[in-house]
Amino acid sequence: MINENQPNNEKNESQPEALAETRPQVASLPESDPQGTDDINSTQPGKAAKKPSRGAHVRSGFLISLLVLVAALGLGGFAGYDTGVAERVSAQSTLVASQLGDQFSLVQQDMTAGRYSVARQRLEFIIGQDPSFPGASEKLAEILVKQAITPSPVPTETPTLTPTPDTRNQEAVFAQSQQQMTSKDWTNLMGSLDTLRKTDPAYKTAIVDSMYYTALRNRGMDQILGTGTYKTTNLEGGIYDLTLAERFGPLDGQADGLRSFARMYITAASFWSVDWPRAVDYFRQVVQFAPNLRDSSNVTASQRLYQALLQYGDQIAGVGGKSKDQCKALDLWKEASGIQALNNDYQYKYDQLDNTCNPITPTPNSPTP
């Protein structure tokens, strides 16, 4: 009996293990919590917990390492991409800054050459690329001001080649002007010089200017003095020629002094019969240095002073009446007599006034003893 039941007992003992394999497995707690494992096993008798195998741990570690490696590679690639982009942007910025600097240096060259429109275009490009570029805004404002003041250059046509001018005519006129200068024909010399200057203003400029000065200076002197080709004086014309001569060079002392006396003569003549005292004063100054200076009436300054003194004396003596200072007329008539002898009429006037102003006192007779 015992032997017959033994196989059954073995079969009954092995049945729980089979049942355990067919039931779903209960997740086991980590190995680090052995206490919890004991509790579970104690609450569920007859059930055995199945521990994870060593291969599962290896696979899990491999997957984790693979994920970490992929993440690291991704982060590294992304960081490298960012670094490459940053370096490319930096290089591009450096290149753009260099190009803008070159354009800004060309702006100054354009301004120096007067190409304000080109310089303005460069600055507008620079500001469009970098509004904070140093000095660009100030330069643009400066160019706008210059363009508002400086007119835009007008394009000129390409000059055509002209043949060398024929100067044979100028040479002939120049030779003629030299002959006129030698013969002191100042008026015709002026005409020849005018022809040369109108034909070619650059023809022997220094020599022609010197000849102009000589012709104007000498013709002015001749007109004032009435010498050379001038038979009568022309004070105004002489003054004008001497003034023109000053444009080519300073006047010498003789010419400048003669021009001053000519002006003084004209001023003295303007007071004739209007203001005898002032006429006398001006003619006295002219006679002191140029007694023979005369006007177109051919009356010298000495003769003018003589007549002015007589007329001024008549005014003081009070013709037709008595003047308070009539005796001063004696001094004026006496001064006139130093220039020219008084005629009979003025000599009689002088004697009469002298008897009045300087009467002869009779000598008293001495008593006889």
Side-chain angles (χ1 to χ4, degrees):
M1 295 290 296
I2 296 171
N3 295 330
E4 293 175 356
N5 295 329
Q6 187 172 0
N8 295 329
N9 291 336
E10 293 177 356
K11 184 178 180 180
N12 292 333
E13 290 177 358
S14 60
Q15 185 177 0
E17 294 178 357
L19 293 174
E21 292 177 357
T22 59
R23 292 179 181 177
Q25 296 181 358
V26 178
S28 61
L29 294 177
E31 295 180 359
S32 62
D33 191 8
Q35 184 66 31
T37 304
D38 293 341
D39 291 341
I40 294 173
N41 293 332
S42 63
T43 56
Q44 297 180 0
K47 295 180 180 181
K50 186 177 180 179
K51 296 183 179 180
S53 63
R54 182 184 182 92
H57 284 290
V58 173
R59 287 195 300 272
S60 298
F62 177 76
L63 290 175
I64 292 172
S65 299
L66 181 62
L67 291 175
V68 172
L69 178 61
V70 171
L73 291 175
L75 292 175
F78 183 75
Y81 175 77
D82 280 349
T83 302
V85 171
E87 290 179 354
R88 185 168 65 252
V89 171
S90 176
Q92 184 177 3
S93 300
T94 303
L95 179 60
V96 171
S98 176
Q99 292 176 350
L100 295 182
D102 295 340
Q103 291 295 321
F104 190 76
S105 63
L106 293 175
V107 168
Q108 188 61 43
Q109 298 178 11
D110 292 334
M111 293 181 65
T112 304
R115 298 187 296 268
Y116 298 118
S117 298
V118 178
R120 178 179 176 179
Q121 294 176 2
R122 294 186 192 276
L123 288 172
E124 289 176 347
F125 170 77
I126 293 172
I127 295 174
Q129 296 294 324
D130 184 4
S132 61
F133 191 89
S137 300
E138 293 78 1
K139 282 292 183 182
L140 181 59
E142 181 181 352
I143 288 176
L144 292 177
V145 172
K146 288 182 177 295
Q147 284 186 325
I149 298 175
T150 306
S152 300
V154 179
T156 56
E157 298 180 357
T158 304
T160 57
L161 297 176
T162 57
T164 304
D166 186 4
T167 60
R168 288 177 295 179
N169 187 30
Q170 287 91 320
E171 294 292 341
V173 176
F174 182 74
Q176 180 181 0
S177 63
Q178 288 180 319
Q179 295 176 359
Q180 292 166 345
M181 188 170 180
T182 302
S183 61
K184 298 182 180 181
D185 188 0
W186 311 122
T187 300
N188 291 327
L189 173 59
M190 288 290 298
S192 299
L193 295 176
D194 289 341
T195 301
L196 283 175
R197 187 54 53 89
K198 291 177 181 178
T199 304
D200 184 5
Y203 179 79
K204 297 184 179 181
T205 306
I207 298 176
V208 172
D209 287 348
S210 176
M211 297 174 74
Y212 262 121
Y213 174 83
T214 303
L216 289 168
R217 186 263 184 194
N218 291 329
R219 191 174 74 171
M221 295 280 288
D222 285 348
Q223 289 188 85
I224 292 175
L225 296 176
T227 57
T229 58
Y230 295 93
K231 304 302 179 181
T232 59
T233 59
N234 182 5
L235 299 181
E236 292 82 358
I239 293 171
Y240 179 74
D241 278 349
L242 293 177
T243 303
L244 290 179
E246 278 187 316
R247 298 182 179 180
F248 299 95
L251 291 177
D252 57 281
Q254 182 183 5
D256 189 34
L258 188 60
R259 181 179 59 175
S260 299
F261 295 134
R263 289 171 175 169
M264 197 176 297
Y265 188 105
I266 294 173
T267 303
S270 66
F271 295 112
W272 195 261
S273 299
V274 177
D275 190 344
W276 290 117
R278 299 187 70 177
V280 167
D281 288 340
Y282 277 105
F283 276 118
R284 279 174 178 165
Q285 298 178 51
V286 176
V287 169
Q288 183 178 0
F289 297 98
N292 295 323
L293 189 63
R294 65 189 69 197
D295 58 5
S296 57
S297 63
N298 206 27
V299 180
T300 65
S302 297
Q303 293 171 340
R304 289 284 189 180
L305 179 58
Y306 174 81
Q307 295 176 8
L309 289 169
L310 295 180
Q311 297 295 328
Y312 188 21
D314 288 342
Q315 181 178 340
I316 293 178
V319 177
K322 298 296 183 183
S323 175
K324 180 179 179 181
D325 298 328
Q326 62 179 353
C327 294
K328 293 181 180 179
L330 293 174
D331 296 332
L332 297 173
W333 291 336
K334 186 175 182 180
E335 182 181 354
S337 65
I339 299 173
Q340 182 179 338
L342 299 177
N343 57 21
N344 295 332
D345 292 338
Y346 274 98
Q347 188 64 50
Y348 176 78
K349 291 178 183 181
Y350 182 88
D351 294 339
Q352 292 295 321
L353 185 58
D354 185 48
N355 291 332
T356 302
C357 295
N358 302 306
I360 299 174
T361 57
T363 304
N365 295 327
S366 58
T368 57

